Amino acid sequence: MGIIFVILAGMILGGGIVGFVLSRRWQAQVAQAEQALKAIAEQHHAEVANSRELKQKVADLQFQLNQARNEVRALNAPRDSE
């Protein structure tokens, strides 16, 4: 009877230790995944901000180009008063 108790106690204790170790590993992997996701999110936000800046620069340059085209047309237009 005592041997059965020792075997059962060993199995329960071993199962608890294995469960504890696996739980710690899982928690470490979850923490690493969270850090990786945070880094990806920060990079994404930076890229979105950079994209906004570039779009604004494109819009400004298009406006300047249209202004220059209008000036060229005005300068090249035939003048009626001449």
Side-chain angles (χ1 to χ4, degrees):
M1 181 78 176
I3 189 93
I4 294 173
F5 177 74
V6 170
I7 291 172
L8 285 175
M11 288 175 61
I12 291 170
L13 186 59
I17 291 172
V18 168
F20 177 75
V21 169
L22 291 177
S23 174
R24 298 286 273 180
R25 284 186 186 173
W26 178 77
Q27 288 175 354
Q29 288 178 346
V30 168
Q32 288 175 345
E34 286 177 351
Q35 289 175 352
L37 286 174
K38 285 179 184 178
I40 291 170
E42 290 173 2
Q43 183 180 4
H44 173 70
H45 289 301
E47 292 297 328
V48 167
N50 188 29
S51 175
R52 275 192 215 120
E53 290 175 14
L54 290 174
K55 286 179 182 179
Q56 184 61 47
K57 287 180 182 179
V58 166
D60 291 343
L61 290 172
Q62 285 177 337
F63 178 79
Q64 291 175 5
L65 177 61
N66 287 334
Q67 290 290 90
R69 283 180 180 162
N70 289 339
E71 289 176 14
V72 168
R73 283 187 198 126
L75 291 173
N76 288 336
R79 295 191 180 126
D80 293 334
S81 62
E82 290 181 15

